[in-house]
Amino acid sequence: MEELEEELKCPVCGSFYREPIILPCSHNICQACARNILVQTPDAESPQSSRASGSGVSDYDYLDLDKMSLYSEADSGYGSYGGFVSAPTTPCQKSPNGVRHHNHLLPHPGSLPPIPRNSCITCPQCHRSLILDERGLRGFPKNRVLEGVVDRYQQSKAAALKCQLCEKSPKEATVMCEQCDVFYCDPCRLRCHPSRGPLAKHRLVPPAQGRISRRTSPRKISTCTEHELENLSMYCVQCKMPVCYQCLEEGKHGTHEVKALGAMWKLHKGQLSQALNGLSDRATDAKEFLVQLRNMVQHIQENGVEFEACLVAQCDALIDALNRRKAQLLSQVNKEHEHKLKVVRDQISHCTVKLRQTTGLMEYCLEVIKENDPSGFLQISDALIRRVHMTEGQWGKGTLTPRMSSDFDLTLDSGPLLQTIHQLDFVQMKVPAAPMLQLEECCTQNNSATLSWKQPPLSNIAVEGYILELDDGSGGPFREVYVGTETICTVDGLHFHSTYKSRVKAFNGSGVGQYSKTLIMQTSEIAWFTFDPASSHPDIIFSNDNLTVSCNSYDDRVVMCSSSFSRGVHYWEITIDRYDNHPDPAFGIARGDVLKDVMLGKDDKAWAMYVDNNRSWFMHNNSHTNRTDGGVTKGSTIGALLDFSRGILIFLINDEQQGPVAFEALEGAYYPAISINRNVQVGK
């Protein structure tokens, strides 16, 4: 309802339309608001001079927008014209939507001032300007339909109607009598308006309906803007407006195509209803799209929280790993620390013992030196000298050198880790989204299928390639038929009259994504093929859109057809268009790698029947069998029936059967083929 309310409000005053008129640009405006935004143009610009003949806009002509400025640069509102400002400098009011209207044009209470000569009006919605004729605003048709819609809308929003006969605290009315024109509550209706006697024939209606009927009765009948006393009775197709009979007899509509007003009313109602159906579909799509966007907002919020938690968990895991490594490195440092202390302490202990021994020996020797007894001294002097020299030798090189450095020869190599931390960033770790099959570009032709797909429009996940899969046409398992980077693929060699299911998925370094929706495709029930220049011998001459072939060599040359078969039952016919000098054309089937420069059937890749003007032979792998009477002439028809289920090939010459002959139906495709020389021309 709020959306409808915006359509029912005047763009100037911002209130509901009151006596709306229709401007030539098809927009609406209140009649009073139209008077408020009128602007007087210079006398030099009369309506006659500004009209453009043949414009088809009734008596109103749009001003040249190069000459007339709708707004002044100072935003003073309407009224600037080539440097001449006709509006006075009194303050102006501004409506809720920004359209200005001047106070000097507001009607005085109880009177409507005359419209100035050469006045113009600018549509507040599309800003198209036009000069009024001598009729002024009376020349614009009144929009009775819009007025009625506004009235009904206001009635639907009006407060509950009260009973008019309740003496104290009126109750809510439940009915209205159209004849009495009175609103009743149930007690007052039973008391004052009994359903018997002369009041029994009165029509009681719901209050809202009664109020509308009161407001809208009597109905106002639209009259012609040119002839105010005449009712509108016809519709001018060329001018697209209702007209009266005087417009047809005296006005410019006399030579125009006109139709009955009622018929055009029904026609346009139907067209509007049909147009509304399409618009309704767009509105429904928009609502569904908004739901999708709102769901996306919720999913983004949920995914954001989840992703943030995942990021925190990953960083916490890195921090935990770093702490564990830190503990390991600290343990290594502690071991080195303990080792150094042990070595130094052992050396201190050893050196202390030796120093104590040396000091004791030195003190003993000093005491011996103090002795005055020569003989006693000499008895021990040699031994003491040897001990002193021996002890001195024990303090040799390296004894007084530290066995361990006080420095720690460990340097933490944190550079690569710091570089890795600085390079820590988000990488694409998601598999691609499911591709979308483009149905408008997917098609089948004969036994070939073309499929096209694309990534979803909002997907920004990198894709390295695609995998296309088809089943076997009989409801069997899917098999890969294409792997690559292209987004379109044509698959040849399918079975005729078969239903295939297809699907595609994308992959990248993180893995393979989901499958697309499955597309069901139907190959042709009947094969349509021509002779194929690409796979035939170069000496073959093609004509008639590849439906007729001949040869420029006296030797036999093989012609292949454009379609192949791998299962089912197939029949085709070939006509002899020219037959000279009794040649031996051959007809049959062949694999794609058959020899092209010898008669069909000379190798093991083809099964054929070759025929002259009297007899025919079957031939495969250069072996001739089953000679039969019956030859060909110009105009003869050769038919071939290929039955994969029984593994036989039957030929018909002018509807007379030749064969059957068995053939080995290996895995793969078989093409209809013939061999001819320059004496034969055949066609399909």
Side-chain angles (χ1 to χ4, degrees), residues 443-449 473 494-501 519-526:
C443 62
T444 59
Q445 182 178 12
N446 275 347
N447 61 337
S448 298
L494 302 177
H495 303 308
F496 284 92
H497 194 41
S498 300
T499 301
Y500 284 88
K501 295 180 181 179
L519 177 64
I520 299 176
M521 308 185 74
Q522 176 73 42
T523 55
S524 299
E525 182 177 356
I526 299 176

Side-chain angles (χ1 to χ4, degrees), residues 309-329:
C310 181
L311 176 62
V312 172
Q314 288 178 317
C315 292
D316 289 343
L318 293 177
I319 295 173
D320 291 341
L322 185 60
N323 287 331
R324 289 193 297 271
R325 186 56 181 166
K326 172 185 174 182
Q328 294 173 357
L329 294 176

Side-chain angles (χ1 to χ4, degrees), residues 319-447:
I319 295 173
D320 291 341
L322 185 60
N323 287 331
R324 289 193 297 271
R325 186 56 181 166
K326 172 185 174 182
Q328 294 173 357
L329 294 176
L330 286 175
S331 176
Q332 184 177 348
V333 171
N334 290 333
K335 289 180 180 179
E336 182 69 14
H337 173 258
E338 295 295 333
H339 174 67
K340 285 181 177 290
L341 288 177
K342 183 178 183 304
V343 172
V344 174
R345 286 170 179 168
D346 290 344
Q347 191 174 10
I348 290 173
S349 177
H350 179 70
C351 186
T352 301
V353 171
K354 290 191 64 176
L355 179 60
R356 184 183 301 112
Q357 293 175 352
T358 301
T359 303
L361 179 62
M362 290 174 59
E363 292 177 351
Y364 174 69
C365 290
L366 290 175
E367 293 297 328
V368 171
I369 291 175
K370 293 178 181 179
E371 287 293 331
N372 294 324
D373 182 7
S375 60
F377 177 80
L378 292 174
Q379 286 179 348
I380 62 174
S381 60
D382 289 335
L384 286 176
I385 291 171
R386 287 194 300 272
R387 284 185 63 190
V388 169
H389 286 303
M390 185 182 299
T391 302
E392 184 182 1
Q394 291 177 353
W395 292 98
K397 185 177 181 181
T399 305
L400 299 179
T401 302
R403 298 177 184 175
M404 184 62 65
S405 171
S406 61
D407 296 331
F408 283 80
D409 299 330
L410 298 175
T411 302
L412 184 63
D413 186 12
S414 60
L417 179 59
L418 288 175
Q419 183 178 3
T420 302
I421 292 175
H422 293 153
Q423 293 176 349
L424 188 64
D425 202 351
F426 300 105
V427 295
Q428 187 58 257
M429 295 298 294
K430 292 185 178 180
V431 298
M436 297 173 57
L437 288 168
Q438 301 190 83
L439 302 182
E440 64 278 4
E441 298 184 15
C442 297
C443 62
T444 59
Q445 182 178 12
N446 275 347
N447 61 337

